[in-house]
Amino acid sequence: MNNQGRPTTPAAIAANGNAPETMSGSKALNQVEKLIFEVGTPQNTGVDLPAPKGGASRLGAHARQGEIGLPGLSEPETMRHYVRLSQQNYAIDLGVYPLGSCTMKHNPRLNEKIARMPGFADVHPLQPVQTKQGALEVMYDLSHWLMTLCNMPAVALTPKAGAHGELCGMMAIRARLDADGETHRRRVLVPESAHGTNPATAVQCGFNVDEIPANDKGRVDMTALRAKLAEKSDDIAGIMLTNPNTCGLFENDIIEIADLIHQAGGYFYCDGANFNALVGRVRPGDLGVDAMHINLHKTFSTPHGGGGPGSGPTVLSDALKDYAPVPYVVKSDNGFDLVEHVEGEAAASFGRMCAFHGNMGMYTRALSYMMSHGSDGLKQATEDAVLNANYVQASLSDVMTTAFDGTCMHEALFDDRFLKDTGVETLDFAKAMIDEGYHPMTMYFPLVVHGAMLIEPTESESKQELDRFIRSMRHLAAKAKAGESEMFKAAPIHAPLRRLDETRAARKPVLRWTPPEDLLDAAE
Ligand SMILES: *Cc1c(COP(=O)(O)O)cnc(C)c1O
């Protein structure tokens, strides 16, 4: 049997002493499924087309020499293959998805319905603008909502993810510095708890990263920051700060931080991935932010997590708005237009971030989400997200150890002190959550907290769902304390796949299926 890509087959489970009780290895609805290459064969085909007419091939030396080797399946086989796989997958539509820093929340079906309306779904970027006025209006209205919620004068819609939005904001900062002849300003301050994309973006834009330490309350160490700026500030390009930060805490000194950076001649980039905790309650523009990306796929509801499309609109302050990338939407007496080029002396735009106008489907979903909630509903979602996180934190703080004292914002952060001397580590605890039927929380991030477990329930979980989740977590914490480390080390035992060799997967990834010998022999 070919084991490629499936190190924990039923045989391996059997060898491990947890023999499946079924002949097939399937557990009722949870069906064992082989790789598609093993299910299908190149000899089969699901379609039956007549041989192409049209005379001799003109491919010459480029014509394929051997078989293409793709697996062939009938339509029902293909359907079953993917449905079976999908049933082995965890999903937000299945249960609580507590991944911190990711805002995995319910995505109202209304948004999906609207995004699939042909006028939005089938719009082509090269259509004449007169034929896509409605789509442009959606983009214009979405911009209005984003600028209003942030109290910022401009927004670049085109960035296609949070990290892409960071790139947009930092390129705008760099363009402004260059325009002012401040090319020596190349140092960007980044707190040590930052998401990895922050320092990566700064370096990508040609800046040097200078880390600022956190204090024992999980926030920027102001003494260290002041000392850093007092020592040298004429090379400061700016700061990249997440608020609420990746410890799930509001940066209380944020206004002073903004003032200090501005006095030093730098700009304030805010990582807005945690905007879910602020919408309707705090406007980043009021905090002195110069640029901030918003993950529409987190805060404003688009299914994400599978590497699917995202959208990272970036709001810009007065100081940066002229440097915004093209294209952008404008409204005139003749309707809406897409500005593709800026010309003349005032043209300061740093350029273009993608070929066209960005991810239309995300714009439609986000606007549908905003309009169906209304401004009061968005505010309530924020408050419920923070309430839910604090409910989880309060309900677990006697059996797990919270990383920092006090209330949290939209996510609860625990460390691994409660596992001390139990033989159970954060990773084992996470694997045991899989057996309980939950996707694990974010682990080992942020790096500043030892064995971190970051839980973001979001506003869309009911009290019943949260209580169910909390019961499982309390149960696991009790088992760890009772010394049942073997159960943890073996987990997950009920999942379709057991523990993977993560080191080998990272170091020697098998990314390509190669036919087993007997198949090769048969082809010859
Ligand atoms: C998700 C996230 C990002 C990056 O966003 P992508 O859309 O995944 O590129 C950046 N910073 C923080 C804090 C995040 O949670």
Side-chain angles (χ1 to χ4, degrees):
M1 189 175 189
N2 191 308
N3 278 345
Q4 286 183 68
R6 290 185 294 117
T8 50
T9 57
I13 295 175
N16 246 337
N18 291 298
E21 285 143 27
T22 57
M23 172 70 206
S24 60
S26 297
K27 293 171 198 135
L29 296 181
N30 195 342
Q31 308 218 10
V32 167
E33 184 62 1
K34 295 177 172 186
L35 298 180
I36 197 166
F37 296 95
E38 298 164 334
V39 180
T41 75
Q43 286 78 36
N44 291 350
T45 175
V47 287
D48 194 7
L49 299 174
K53 299 186 192 118
S57 161
R58 285 177 288 164
L59 290 173
H62 300 294
R64 178 156 47 82
Q65 301 297 313
E67 284 302 316
I68 195 164
L70 289 177
L73 293 88
S74 69
E75 186 173 317
E77 282 174 324
T78 313
M79 186 71 106
R80 282 188 185 154
H81 176 71
Y82 287 107
V83 170
R84 284 175 184 162
L85 285 186
S86 76
Q87 290 183 337
Q88 300 184 355
N89 215 3
Y90 199 81
I92 191 71
D93 293 339
L94 209 60
V96 177
Y97 211 120
L99 271 185
S101 215
C102 293
T103 310
M104 304 295 292
K105 62 186 184 185
H106 171 66
N107 297 288
R109 293 301 177 269
L110 174 69
N111 307 348
E112 300 303 314
K113 195 171 170 183
I114 304 283
R116 280 169 179 70
M117 288 166 72
F120 298 131
D122 299 341
V123 70
H124 192 282
L126 294 178
Q127 265 174 246
V129 284
Q130 306 88 296
T131 66
K132 53 182 181 194
Q133 286 292 305
L136 294 179
E137 186 169 355
V138 165
M139 293 168 68
Y140 188 85
D141 286 352
L142 175 65
S143 302
H144 173 77
W145 275 82
L146 294 173
M147 291 187 295
T148 306
L149 289 169
C150 293
N151 191 25
M152 302 280 274
V155 61
L157 282 189
T158 55
K160 291 189 174 175
H164 206 203
E166 289 175 37
L167 188 66
C168 174
M170 293 310 283
M171 284 178 76
I173 290 175
R174 192 175 154 135
R176 171 73 203 246
L177 289 172
D178 289 354
D180 292 346
E182 304 245 46
T183 51
H184 55 284
R185 289 188 177 272
R186 286 294 177 260
R187 184 155 60 114
V188 173
L189 305 178
V190 182
E192 49 182 11
S193 62
H195 193 269
T197 48
N198 291 187
T201 300
V203 170
Q204 183 76 21
C205 290
F207 295 113
N208 310 311
V209 172
D210 189 5
E211 263 195 13
I212 3 174
N215 62 20
D216 58 5
K217 298 198 168 57
R219 295 170 170 95
V220 169
D221 183 335
M222 292 302 288
T223 318
L225 176 66
R226 277 189 219 104
K228 233 178 230 304
L229 292 174
E231 193 184 320
K232 186 168 167 61
S233 68
D234 59 356
D235 63 339
I236 291 286
I239 190 170
M240 294 184 85
L241 189 69
T242 311
N243 193 37
N245 66 24
T246 54
C247 297
L249 303 169
F250 196 87
E251 289 284 357
N252 302 343
D253 296 313
I254 191 154
I255 291 185
E256 189 186 348
I257 295 173
D259 289 346
L260 285 171
I261 290 299
H262 289 147
Q263 279 156 23
Y267 294 93
F268 179 4
Y269 186 88
C270 184
D271 180 328
N274 294 338
F275 198 35
N276 208 52
L278 301 184
V279 176
R281 289 298 301 251
V282 175
R283 299 184 304 178
D286 299 340
L287 304 176
V289 168
D290 289 298
M292 181 181 96
H293 75 264
I294 296 159
N295 301 58
L296 293 188
H297 49 288
K298 293 180 182 170
T299 309
F300 295 110
S301 160
T302 273
H304 68 286
S311 185
T314 304
V315 287
L316 298 168
S317 67
D318 256 326
L320 300 180
K321 67 178 196 305
D322 293 344
Y323 302 87
V326 286
Y328 50 83
V329 183
V330 290
K331 186 182 180 184
S332 72
D333 291 345
N334 302 326
F336 298 94
D337 198 6
L338 207 50
V339 177
E340 298 276 0
H341 303 279
V342 277
E343 276 145 16
E345 289 219 347
S349 165
F350 70 70
R352 178 180 285 270
M353 299 199 72
C354 47
F356 300 117
H357 55 266
N359 279 335
M360 190 68 215
M362 259 89 281
Y363 303 155
T364 322
R365 286 178 179 86
L367 187 62
S368 156
Y369 180 82
M370 290 168 168
M371 294 181 73
S372 53
H373 275 70
S375 58
D376 54 341
L378 290 178
K379 180 164 168 249
Q380 176 161 3
T382 297
E383 291 169 351
D384 289 350
V386 175
L387 180 65
N388 278 359
N390 278 286
Y391 183 67
V392 169
Q393 178 172 294
S395 306
L396 293 176
S397 59
D398 58 331
V399 292
M400 293 171 68
T401 38
T402 46
F404 300 102
D405 292 340
T407 53
C408 58
M409 293 291 287
H410 61 308
E411 45 197 359
L413 179 57
F414 299 91
D415 58 27
D416 61 0
R417 277 174 301 156
F418 74 103
L419 295 174
K420 192 167 182 289
D421 301 329
T422 60
V424 178
E425 290 169 33
T426 293
L427 180 73
D428 309 321
F429 198 88
K431 296 292 182 195
M433 285 172 70
I434 298 176
D435 280 337
E436 287 288 324
Y438 290 107
H439 191 288
M441 69 266 134
T442 293
M443 359 165 233
Y444 300 110
F445 177 82
L447 303 176
V448 290
V449 168
H450 199 270
M453 305 183 194
L454 184 60
I455 300 174
E456 181 180 0
T458 80
E459 71 281 4
S460 52
E461 297 305 338
S462 66
K463 181 164 180 299
Q464 286 86 335
E465 278 285 3
L466 289 182
D467 284 337
R468 211 160 77 92
F469 174 74
I470 288 162
R471 273 200 298 279
S472 281
M473 296 294 278
R474 293 186 69 86
H475 168 76
L476 291 179
K479 282 205 170 256
K481 276 189 193 130
E484 295 192 30
S485 62
E486 265 174 37
M487 183 276 270
F488 284 92
K489 293 291 174 196
I493 58 170
H494 299 305
L497 297 189
R498 307 280 312 270
R499 272 203 209 196
L500 309 182
D501 183 342
E502 293 183 14
T503 314
R504 207 171 108 220
R507 298 266 159 81
K508 291 189 180 153
V510 182
L511 303 176
R512 190 177 174 167
W513 182 81
T514 41
E517 293 295 326
D518 49 342
L519 231 167
L520 282 178
D521 292 347
E524 274 168 13

